[in-house]
Amino acid sequence: MLTNNVWHDVDEYFIDKLIPFDETMENVLQTNKNAGIPEIDVSPTQGKLLYLLAKIKGAQNILEIGTLGGYSSIWLARALPESGKVYTLEIEPTYAEVAKQNILKAGCSSKVEVIVGNALHSLPTIKNSGPLFDLIFIDADKPNNPQYLKWALELANSGALIIADNVVRNGEVIDDKSEDERVQGVRQFMDLLEHEPRIESTAIQTVGIKGYDGFILAIVK
């Protein structure tokens, strides 16, 4: 049976081969750690996947729900043309401030707007005054995933990609009796996807330095 050590070592091999050392991104992770931000950012391979998906899509405007210290925000911003923009939502002001500094040091401040506050309060304002989005990355509090999906549909261009992280919950997603509100949030999110005719979607299970998890990849019709 394969162990977590094997998953970790294989991820490190892929990182060494496919993702050149990037001092800026390493500094982002260290700055986040020093600031006490939870170490729950996407992995380098997952960050590169977000970057490539944004490139493949030819995204101009990206919405990210859940900023933390801005690590994934920078990956997404780097995929954009000069005229592109990432709007990233973060509820915790101290995390948002760290993210702004990281984004500035990465040279991406012109492409990223960090919006501080409860995402469910910010999203209506974005709908009323902001653009529609070509890619939406949902990586915030899981109990609100169903609401985030509903807003994503309101804010997505036709053909937009929707990506949602952390949907496997170490396998607990199949437990309909789970008392974990994060698991139930993901399950309700899955129920919406099952019955939503405006979306085509799939789920991918992943292993690596982040352990056992997975993500949703969907396209809006």
Side-chain angles (χ1 to χ4, degrees):
M1 181 177 179
L2 295 180
T3 66
N4 287 14
N5 288 337
V6 174
W7 304 345
H8 183 282
D9 292 347
V10 171
D11 239 17
E12 291 288 359
Y13 170 79
F14 288 149
I15 291 167
D16 182 60
K17 290 293 184 182
L18 303 176
I19 305 173
F21 176 77
D22 188 325
E23 185 175 2
T24 296
M25 297 304 266
E26 291 297 320
N27 287 340
V28 168
L29 293 176
Q30 188 60 52
T31 298
N32 292 351
K33 184 176 182 178
N34 294 344
I37 294 176
E39 296 179 62
I40 54 175
D41 304 275
V42 298
S43 70
T45 51
Q46 293 164 347
K48 185 70 173 287
L49 176 64
L50 291 173
Y51 166 89
L52 290 173
L53 288 171
K55 281 257 185 180
I56 291 166
K57 176 59 188 170
Q60 290 281 339
N61 291 304
I62 295 175
L63 174 64
E64 178 183 48
I65 303 175
T67 312
L68 279 180
Y71 183 74
S72 55
S73 314
I74 294 168
W75 272 113
L76 290 166
R78 286 177 167 182
L80 291 175
E82 286 304 315
S83 59
K85 196 86 169 183
V86 176
Y87 296 79
T88 182
L89 312 183
E90 176 54 51
I91 193 170
E92 176 54 59
T94 56
Y95 297 176
E97 196 55 42
V98 172
K100 289 177 184 178
Q101 293 303 311
N102 284 333
I103 291 162
L104 177 64
K105 290 176 183 177
C108 295
S109 56
S110 65
K111 294 183 181 179
V112 183
E113 180 176 342
V114 180
I115 300 172
V116 184
N118 186 313
L120 294 178
H121 298 161
S122 301
L123 289 165
T125 302
I126 292 173
K127 184 177 187 301
N128 291 333
S129 59
L132 294 178
F133 295 95
D134 307 307
L135 187 152
I136 298 171
F137 180 43
I138 301 172
D139 192 16
D141 53 315
K142 307 314 171 192
N144 279 320
N145 264 18
Q147 295 302 316
Y148 296 147
L149 179 59
K150 291 175 183 177
W151 275 108
L153 285 168
E154 292 288 324
L155 292 163
N157 280 316
S158 176
L161 296 179
I162 297 177
I163 306 158
D165 200 10
N166 309 128
V167 299
V168 170
R169 313 306 309 172
N170 206 35
E172 292 182 35
V173 69
I174 63 174
D175 182 4
D176 61 352
K177 295 181 174 59
S178 174
E179 296 181 359
D180 187 329
E181 62 180 359
R182 296 167 299 179
V183 172
Q184 292 299 337
V186 171
R187 285 181 60 86
Q188 292 165 25
F189 175 80
M190 298 298 295
D191 289 343
L192 287 175
L193 287 172
E194 179 184 10
H195 299 292
E196 176 52 68
R198 292 172 290 176
I199 300 178
E200 294 181 290
S201 57
T202 191
I204 303 295
Q205 298 183 74
T206 60
V207 295
I209 61 176
K210 305 298 291 186
Y212 171 42
D213 209 333
F215 62 91
I216 291 291
L217 179 62
I219 188 167
V220 178
K221 294 181 181 179

